[in-house]
Amino acid sequence: LFECQARGVAVPREFGIAGFNDEDFMEAASPSLSSVRTHRWKVGHDAVIALRRQLDGEPDDERIVDVGFDVMKRASTDRTGKSAQPRDAAAE
């Protein structure tokens, strides 16, 4: 974003920017940055539970765990000028 601003590249009209993990600064940036929000706390929590079950000798039948993600659409990718609500990809 800063490099685009330094070079006079209009965000999002000329160049769209999206990040990952939806850090706090992304919403505060100007323009605000779109991002994929992962559920890091849930990932860690579920990993600890799985590890405890394994240590307790419980069977582990679930090899893949989908904790989902959210797409946080903000101004940095919104070429229409209309901010959309976050899309919950886990629900799709």
Side-chain angles (χ1 to χ4, degrees):
L1 176 61
F2 297 134
E3 187 63 26
C4 284
Q5 291 170 339
R7 292 175 181 251
V9 176
V11 175
R13 193 181 74 230
E14 297 177 55
F15 194 84
I17 300 174
F20 191 78
N21 274 340
D22 199 34
E23 300 291 337
D24 293 338
F25 68 87
M26 293 179 161
E27 191 170 11
S30 182
S32 58
L33 295 171
S34 296
S35 182
V36 174
R37 177 184 290 171
T38 58
H39 305 288
R40 295 171 294 191
W41 188 92
K42 183 160 178 37
V43 169
H45 177 268
D46 290 356
V48 169
I49 297 299
L51 180 59
R52 291 201 54 173
R53 285 183 179 153
Q54 187 176 31
L55 292 172
D56 290 341
E58 295 179 29
D60 182 18
D61 296 333
E62 193 170 7
R63 305 301 274 173
I64 297 174
V65 179
D66 183 356
V67 295
F69 62 91
D70 299 309
V71 174
M72 309 306 293
K73 185 168 176 15
R74 297 193 180 105
S76 68
T77 56
D78 187 6
R79 293 187 175 154
T80 66
K82 302 173 187 173
S83 289
Q85 294 296 323
R87 182 178 68 90
D88 184 0
E92 293 182 358

